[in-house]
Amino acid sequence: ADMRGHAFLTSSAANEVAQESDRIAASFFTHFLVSGLRGAADVNQDHRVTLQEAYQFASTETLARTERTKGGAQHAAYEFDLSGTGDMVVTDVRTTQASLVLTPELSGRIVVREAGGTGALVAELRKPAGNTIELGVEAGSYIIAMEGPAAGANSSGLVFETTTTLVSGQRAELARLAFHPGKPLELAMARGDAAAVDASTTLTMTAPATPHTQMSTKLGIIPRPEDEHTDVNGLSFGFVGDRAARVSGLQLALGWTQTDERLRGVQLAVGATAAAGDSKGLQLADGVTYSNGTFRGLQVAGIGALTRGEGRGLQIAGVAALADGSFSGVQLGGLVNGARVGRGVQIGGAVDAAEDFAGLQLAGGVAFARRVRGLQLATVNVAGDMRGMQVGIVNAVETGAGFRFGVVNVARETRGFQFGVVNVASHDDGESFALINVIGNGIHAVDAYASDLFLANLAFKLGGRHLYTALGAGYQSGGALATGTQTFTRDTGRWGPTVGFGWRFALPAGRLEHLDLEAISQNLYKTWGVSGDAPAVNSLRLLAGVRLAPHIKLLGGLSANVAIGQHGSDANLSLVGPQMTAHDGVTTIRIYPGFVAGLEI
């Protein structure tokens, strides 16, 4: 990253106290900021924690853990004034001494403590199912506690724990099978505020789970309460609904099928299918399919398909395909595709949306992603942080690097190349080519000059740092054209539009600020008249800009002109130097040198 400026983080608002906790032996904000820097804040799973990710994690966790203290909710604040390119990476988890890898199947509130001694708290986070979080730690022994989902509306979740010892350079993956029932997790309280917390929120262990009944096949019409403890190896059939805890074979229902924990085979329903937890295979419904946790196979739905958690494979939906978590594969939606973290292809009839997406977003209407690595192809493309290519009618990014091709391109900060009719950017470190460029740090100038073609010229230059377009017109007073001809000479009155583009070479110091290499095309018309047989003069110019005052430059240089007259027209306008002339039937070509002299504001 190439950044300049400052960034202030404060643990509380100006009218709040920064609360501390006896349990964590530190302030809430600092504790969660350090947890975030260890990797808990790595939202996009790139093993790097940016300043924005670290602050967002610490702020959210601090607010959640202080809402019920006597001191009241604590709101962290920030002030960022940064300019430059790239993300401001604060920590890189890959460079730490050792690391704990929390696998996708783990979910809930997770606490990491040092084993032995005081059991100092190392990190704390709430982890959703379906994504991987890597925590950077020092070599040593640790106790990892995980609070599972609640067993009921008025009961707390089960708490599991495991112990591991890491040596320097080790990367240890923690799977669900490594955990066993453990001690309840303590509730975080501000110092001296134990009485202020409702005792009903204390976390306790629930009773052991009811053992499951194993069945080879199951046929049912209406789900029964005991079905939540039934495992089916073969077929689970339900007419207007069916339910099982775990299924390895096929569930088939006219109405809805439901698996609470795990499905390996196929769910097929006219109405709705549901598989919670780990599901492999195919879900097919003329209605709604739903899979919670890790999903790997194929979802097909007449109305909508929803995957929470990781979700690999293919989603096909007549109306909407949604993945609330990490999704890798292909999403096909008749109207809407959505993924929190997507890898692969999104193809939607109206809208593609993702929090973090790498691959191709293809939509007939709007493609939206907060963070994109790949290609957005839609009528309207919107991205927060774009690294790749956007192709559409309207392209908009907060920060971007890559290529954008559209009628209108809008960006706050961008690098790469923009091509369109209108390009707008607050700051562009790349190149921008358009008929109209509005670039904050780019070229925006007015040239008033004389040339060998027109005595009076006015042109507007708009562009990025180097590449710009020139739009204007020229006028030369003089006599009228001979009757019935389009032959222009030095004494003929004329006017013509100016269209072209150029490249500005900035010079490091001194009054000579830049050199411009321009390709310009100008047509010649009778005074305030327009004719289809008007000759054209194409010029290649090399101009120098010399600063006279803070906003005024002397502009001057030479040009190589090629005048082309067709259908009997001609432009014999050479003022100085040799001239080469060629005739081919009704076409006349003249090549001669020229000049430009004027001012640029």
Side-chain angles (χ1 to χ4, degrees):
D2 179 14
M3 307 289 291
R4 291 181 177 85
H6 68 261
F8 293 111
L9 306 183
T10 65
S11 60
S12 64
N15 59 346
E16 298 174 344
V17 295
Q19 302 178 56
E20 296 179 341
S21 167
D22 285 327
R23 184 181 71 86
I24 63 179
S27 75
F28 284 105
F29 182 78
T30 301
H31 167 60
F32 288 114
L33 180 62
V34 172
S35 295
L37 295 177
R38 289 188 181 277
D42 182 19
V43 176
N44 60 1
Q45 304 176 58
D46 64 353
H47 304 289
R48 305 186 307 168
V49 178
T50 65
L51 180 64
Q52 185 66 42
E53 287 177 328
Y55 167 77
Q56 191 63 47
F57 176 83
S59 174
T60 302
E61 290 292 331
T62 299
L63 178 61
R65 302 307 295 276
T66 57
E67 285 180 324
R68 305 191 65 178
T69 64
K70 184 183 295 183
Q74 179 178 321
H75 303 82
Y78 72 92
E79 178 184 319
F80 292 170
D81 185 8
L82 299 170
S83 63
T85 59
D87 295 326
M88 186 170 180
V89 178
V90 187
T91 56
D92 189 331
V93 180
R94 294 168 297 186
T95 65
T96 55
Q97 192 178 103
S99 61
L100 291 169
V101 181
L102 308 179
T103 55
E105 59 186 346
L106 302 181
S107 64
R109 180 175 159 225
I110 295 177
V111 174
V112 180
R113 289 184 177 274
E114 292 181 356
T118 60
L121 193 59
V122 175
E124 184 177 357
L125 68 148
R126 292 188 179 274
K127 180 187 178 300
N131 65 344
T132 300
I133 293 179
E134 186 168 345
L135 301 176
V137 296
E138 295 78 17
S141 297
Y142 298 93
I143 299 174
I144 302 94
M146 177 178 65
E147 177 194 353
N154 299 315
S155 62
S156 57
L158 290 170
V159 177
F160 303 90
E161 68 179 25
T162 187
T163 302
T164 186
T165 299
L166 302 176
V167 298
S168 182
Q170 184 178 358
R171 184 176 181 272
E173 292 193 2
L174 300 178
R176 186 182 293 274
L177 293 177
F179 287 80
H180 56 81
K183 301 176 182 179
L185 294 176
E186 310 99 318
L187 185 69
M189 295 179 290
R191 197 164 283 171
D193 285 345
V197 181
D198 189 346
S200 66
T201 62
T202 303
L203 301 178
T204 58
M205 292 289 294
T206 58
T210 303
H212 286 210
T213 301
Q214 304 294 323
M215 302 180 67
S216 58
T217 59
K218 177 177 179 292
L219 299 176
I221 297 178
I222 299 176
R224 304 163 300 168
E226 56 266 29
D227 286 344
E228 65 178 311
H229 307 297
T230 301
D231 293 350
V232 180
N233 294 324
L235 171 70
S236 173
F237 168 82
F239 185 76
V240 189
D242 192 26
R243 182 183 183 184
R246 291 185 286 258
V247 176
S248 299
L250 170 72
Q251 275 199 16
L252 177 66
L254 181 62
W256 112 75
T257 63
Q258 177 180 336
T259 300
D260 294 342
E261 298 180 21
R262 186 189 66 207
L263 172 73
R264 300 293 184 186
V266 177
Q267 283 195 117
L268 182 65
V270 177
T273 65
D278 185 351
S279 58
K280 297 179 180 179
L282 170 70
Q283 289 189 106
L284 179 66
D286 185 8
V288 177
T289 66
Y290 168 82
S291 183
N292 185 7
T294 300
F295 174 81
R296 297 177 181 83
L298 170 70
Q299 288 192 108
V300 180
I303 297 178
L306 173 66
T307 295
R308 298 180 63 90
E310 189 163 276
R312 307 186 190 105
L314 175 68
Q315 284 187 323
I316 301 177
V319 176
L322 303 174
D324 184 14
S326 178
F327 184 84
S328 299
V330 179
Q331 284 187 317
L332 299 175
L335 289 178
V336 179
N337 288 317
R340 188 175 299 277
V341 179
R343 300 290 184 270
V345 179
Q346 282 186 325
I347 301 177
V351 178
D352 286 336
E355 182 79 11
D356 189 313
F357 191 82
L360 169 64
Q361 284 188 311
L362 178 63
V366 179
F368 171 81
R370 192 175 300 276
R371 181 184 174 94
V372 182
R373 299 294 182 269
L375 170 64
Q376 283 187 322
L377 180 60
T379 303
V380 178
N381 296 306
V382 181
D385 183 10
M386 177 73 189
R387 299 292 185 272
M389 180 183 295
Q390 287 182 318
V391 180
I393 303 299
V394 178
N395 299 317
V397 298
E398 178 75 8
T399 59
F403 297 88
R404 274 174 297 286
F405 299 89
V407 176
V408 179
N409 298 305
V410 181
R412 188 174 68 86
E413 294 187 5
T414 181
R415 291 179 289 126
F417 184 77
Q418 295 188 110
F419 183 88
V421 177
V422 178
N423 290 339
V424 180
S426 176
H427 187 92
D428 186 358
D429 286 328
E431 300 303 335
S432 183
F433 184 82
L435 192 62
I436 299 176
N437 284 290
V438 183
I439 310 297
N441 66 325
I443 298 170
H444 26 76
V446 178
D447 290 358
Y449 60 92
S451 69
D452 55 285
L453 192 60
F454 299 107
L455 181 62
N457 294 270
L458 187 67
F460 296 90
K461 291 182 178 179
L462 297 171
R465 295 185 307 158
H466 303 102
L467 185 63
Y468 62 86
T469 54
L471 302 174
Y475 174 75
Q476 174 73 53
S477 63
L481 289 174
T483 304
T485 68
Q486 285 278 48
T487 301
F488 290 85
T489 65
R490 297 298 312 166
D491 298 327
T492 304
R494 57 195 178 273
W495 82 278
T498 300
V499 179
F501 62 92
W503 184 274
R504 175 158 294 184
F505 300 89
L507 301 179
R511 290 186 175 273
L512 182 59
E513 290 193 350
H514 59 80
L515 293 176
D516 292 350
L517 183 63
E518 296 182 345
I520 300 295
S521 179
Q522 296 174 290
N523 280 45
L524 305 181
Y525 298 107
K526 302 176 184 179
T527 304
W528 312 125
V530 175
S531 171
D533 296 331
V537 180
N538 302 314
S539 304
L540 183 64
R541 299 172 175 174
L542 180 62
L543 308 177
V546 179
R547 179 167 49 85
L548 300 178
H551 300 290
I552 300 177
K553 286 177 282 189
L554 178 64
L555 195 67
L558 301 175
S559 64
N561 302 320
V562 179
I564 302 174
Q566 295 180 322
H567 306 291
S569 64
D570 192 9
N572 187 7
L573 303 175
S574 176
L575 183 64
V576 295
Q579 179 177 202
M580 297 176 58
T581 305
H583 299 281
D584 182 10
V586 294
T587 300
T588 301
I589 300 176
R590 298 179 184 273
I591 302 175
Y592 61 94
F595 73 94
V596 173
L599 296 175
E600 181 171 286
I601 302 174

